[in-house]
Amino acid sequence: EPEVTQTPSHQVTQMGQEVILRCVPISNHLYFYWYRQILGQKVEFLVSFYNNEISEKSEIFDDQFSVERPDGSNFTLKIRSTKLEDSAMYFCASRYYGYTFGSGTRLTVV
Amino acid sequence: GDSVTQMEGPVTLSEEAFLTINCTYTATGYPSLFWYVQYPGEGLQLLLKATKADDKGSNKGFEATYRKETTSFHLEKGSVQVSDSAVYFCALSDQTQETSGSRLTFGEGTQLTVNP
């Protein structure tokens, strides 16, 4: 069964550094998403991406965040100048009809 | 805005016990409702869904009925197994997933542990 692949599974970064979280969505899917889950809290929507542009973003998705689909297969989330409160599990998802989620990247900012 | 509230966890049951995980929602329109499951070390997997009032979603022995009058979508299973141990998330989408956009709004998640 097709999968959404996320790398790395766990990343530790220093506060103030930039990180790029990578995702390979399912190839024939049209919509791409990033969600995050801070430990012990709800899974929260960050952004959706369709036709090579952002289609919707939440209030969390400020100028610190950006997304890109650089080569038609990867879908990346860049977090500039990371803060301690960015520590969370980040899930990528893609959708044709139903959603398929990746296993997540656990980001720890120290 | 839209919101989903799940019963607080964690929930610990013995094998073959009856499971109920409560979920209620607030939405302005006519949302689609979902239950997702996350097994250890894995991503979120769709367990079942319902797209309109009185629909019943079912899968792997789990059921949930879309109750518009009580704005609820409680998850039930008659006899749980050790392999059902996971985190369960209730979620809604403000459009059907067959249309564009369709962000998911999740509940807090409920950790279920089933002991042999």
Side-chain angles (χ1 to χ4, degrees), chain B:
Chain B
D2 297 344
S3 67
V4 176
T5 302
Q6 285 181 236
M7 67 183 291
E8 292 189 14
V11 174
T12 302
L13 297 173
S14 298
E15 207 164 24
E16 300 183 3
F18 184 84
L19 169 71
T20 300
I21 301 177
N22 290 336
C23 171
T24 57
Y25 68 90
T26 303
T28 52
Y30 297 94
S32 295
L33 301 174
F34 307 88
W35 278 99
Y36 282 84
V37 59
Q38 185 179 28
Y39 299 102
E42 299 185 16
L44 297 164
Q45 300 175 24
L46 178 64
L47 180 60
L48 54 84
K49 69 177 182 181
T51 57
K52 61 183 188 297
D54 300 325
D55 268 2
K56 177 186 283 188
S58 61
N59 185 25
K60 299 181 182 179
F62 291 89
E63 293 183 339
T65 301
Y66 189 143
R67 300 286 188 201
K68 191 169 185 295
E69 64 277 15
T70 54
T71 62
S72 65
F73 192 56
H74 304 321
L75 182 68
E76 296 182 337
K77 186 174 185 182
S79 176
V80 293
Q81 306 300 313
V82 172
S83 57
D84 293 326
S85 297
V87 181
Y88 292 82
F89 293 91
C90 186
L92 69 81
S93 174
D94 57 3
Q95 303 169 4
T96 65
Q97 289 202 340
E98 285 73 25
T99 60
S100 64
S102 300
R103 66 156 78 178
L104 290 170
T105 300
F106 285 89
E108 300 90 342
T110 301
Q111 172 75 56
L112 170 67
T113 301
V114 181
N115 294 317

Side-chain angles (χ1 to χ4, degrees), chain A residues 4-11 19-25 34 74-77 90-92 102-106:
Chain A
V4 173
T5 304
Q6 288 188 245
T7 55
S9 57
H10 189 191
Q11 180 153 2
V19 295
I20 298 176
L21 309 183
R22 302 182 189 280
C23 170
V24 179
W34 285 100
N74 291 285
F75 180 51
T76 61
L77 174 69
Y90 288 82
F91 292 104
C92 174
S103 301
T105 293
R106 180 167 297 285

